[in-house]
Amino acid sequence: MLTELSTYLNVYIITADTYGNVRKQCKDLPVIIETFCRGNATIYKKEFIEKLGYKSTIAVGNGLNDVEMLKKAALSIAVIGDEGCASQAIVNSHITCKSIKDVFDMILKKK
């Protein structure tokens, strides 16, 4: 699904890469990986989306450190998933989905 999405959009993976395996996990995917040092992920993600031009971005997240990014995006989507979702991420998103697959399906269905 990421391959299909990447034909229409620039897809960024923004992560602290806590386990050091994001590049290996995404090596065959047409995505742009942005990593940052541990620290204030909230500020980094917010500044990153501002740099991209938040008026034309879709942000997807589920954690407290995603809230400021979700507030800025033109379209923000909270994903509950198996690990759950911070309530503030839900409150500050336009849409809430139960899985990342649902997010990709929704974006790919252009109507």
Side-chain angles (χ1 to χ4, degrees):
M1 294 177 106
L2 281 172
T3 300
E4 188 175 353
L5 276 173
S6 72
T7 63
Y8 304 101
L9 307 166
N10 292 324
V11 178
Y12 293 86
I13 308 288
I14 307 170
T15 178
D17 198 19
T18 303
Y19 301 107
N21 59 3
V22 71
R23 294 196 190 284
K24 182 179 178 183
Q25 288 179 327
C26 298
K27 69 179 171 104
D28 296 323
L29 296 173
V31 299
I32 302 160
I33 298 169
E34 289 287 330
T35 59
F36 53 91
C37 297
R38 290 190 182 130
N40 197 334
T42 301
I43 298 300
Y44 182 87
K45 290 179 178 185
K46 176 182 160 263
E47 288 175 351
F48 185 82
I49 201 166
E50 288 173 342
K51 180 178 77 172
L52 286 177
Y54 59 88
K55 292 181 180 181
S56 60
T57 58
I58 300 171
V60 181
N62 70 342
L64 281 175
N65 66 10
D66 296 316
V67 171
E68 294 302 316
M69 173 182 70
L70 293 170
K71 286 179 182 179
K72 286 285 186 178
L75 175 63
S76 56
I77 305 170
V79 178
I80 295 175
D82 292 337
E83 67 181 15
C85 185
S87 61
Q88 289 302 307
I90 294 170
V91 169
N92 288 287
S93 64
H94 297 103
I95 300 167
T96 302
C97 291
K98 64 181 178 175
S99 74
I100 193 67
K101 182 185 178 308
D102 292 339
V103 173
F104 295 159
D105 280 338
M106 182 175 45
I107 295 169
L108 289 168
K109 293 177 183 169
K110 295 180 180 110
K111 292 183 181 182

